[in-house]
Amino acid sequence: WVGLVGWILGGLAVASAWMAAVGWYVGLVHYPAFRFISAEDWAAFHAHHTLTTGILVVGPMLGQIVSTFALIAAIDQLPLWVIVASFVCLALSVGWTGVVSGPIHGQLVTKDPALIERLISTNWPRAVAWTAQALIAVVPLLNRSAG
């Protein structure tokens, strides 16, 4: 697909793959490293983490949202499962971020080991959803180029 559908799927694949990479890194490395930040350094660290992570993820998350909704324009050109699965992944990743991960971060004003562990464990649905959405966007592109 060279046209609009290809651009939408390509944008969705790139944005979701970026977020998947961030999600896996955060879950395996970054959030567990929170355990090693001293209570005295916590406020400055968390402020830095929140700002810099926001810089890395706001654009790709917006790209994921816009691309997913743009799939509606391609409803007559894509299998329905691609569109439905993409919306489910969007709800699980961005929705989970807004309802679960974001509020936990908001509670981490001071270092709280229980909240850190909760943040680590609740990251995985997002990482899996972003990974799935990237794969879902790539499948039609590969099928089209192979056919």
Side-chain angles (χ1 to χ4, degrees), residues 34 37-47 108-111 116:
F34 284 15
I37 307 300
S38 70
E40 297 80 32
D41 294 331
W42 180 260
F45 165 78
H46 195 256
L108 279 169
V109 177
T110 59
K111 184 175 182 178
I116 291 169

Side-chain angles (χ1 to χ4, degrees), residues 112-127:
D112 182 333
L115 283 177
I116 291 169
E117 295 308 315
R118 187 164 170 234
L119 192 60
I120 294 166
S121 67
T122 61
N123 180 65
W124 298 116
R126 301 185 306 165

Side-chain angles (χ1 to χ4, degrees), residues 79-89:
L80 186 59
W81 74 265
V82 171
I83 297 169
V84 171
S86 290
F87 272 95
V88 169
C89 289

Side-chain angles (χ1 to χ4, degrees), residues 25-35 49 101 105 116 119-121 123 126:
Y25 172 78
V26 161
L28 291 171
V29 178
H30 192 63
Y31 285 169
F34 284 15
R35 297 171 178 140
H49 156 80
S101 300
H105 271 292
I116 291 169
L119 192 60
I120 294 166
S121 67
N123 180 65
R126 301 185 306 165

Side-chain angles (χ1 to χ4, degrees), residues 21-145:
V22 169
W24 287 98
Y25 172 78
V26 161
L28 291 171
V29 178
H30 192 63
Y31 285 169
F34 284 15
R35 297 171 178 140
F36 305 107
I37 307 300
S38 70
E40 297 80 32
D41 294 331
W42 180 260
F45 165 78
H46 195 256
H48 171 76
H49 156 80
T50 302
L51 174 66
T52 55
T53 300
I55 291 168
L56 288 175
V57 302
V58 167
M61 284 180 105
L62 288 174
Q64 177 195 14
I65 293 165
V66 169
S67 297
T68 300
F69 278 93
L71 289 175
I72 294 169
I75 199 159
D76 60 335
Q77 299 176 51
L78 289 172
L80 186 59
W81 74 265
V82 171
I83 297 169
V84 171
S86 290
F87 272 95
V88 169
C89 289
L90 179 69
L92 286 173
S93 59
V94 176
W96 192 269
T97 299
V99 173
V100 177
S101 300
I104 294 171
H105 271 292
Q107 295 172 25
L108 279 169
V109 177
T110 59
K111 184 175 182 178
D112 182 333
L115 283 177
I116 291 169
E117 295 308 315
R118 187 164 170 234
L119 192 60
I120 294 166
S121 67
T122 61
N123 180 65
W124 298 116
R126 301 185 306 165
V128 170
W130 280 314
T131 303
Q133 191 164 32
L135 294 172
I136 289 164
V138 167
V139 166
L141 290 171
L142 293 177
N143 285 342
R144 183 66 176 197
S145 65

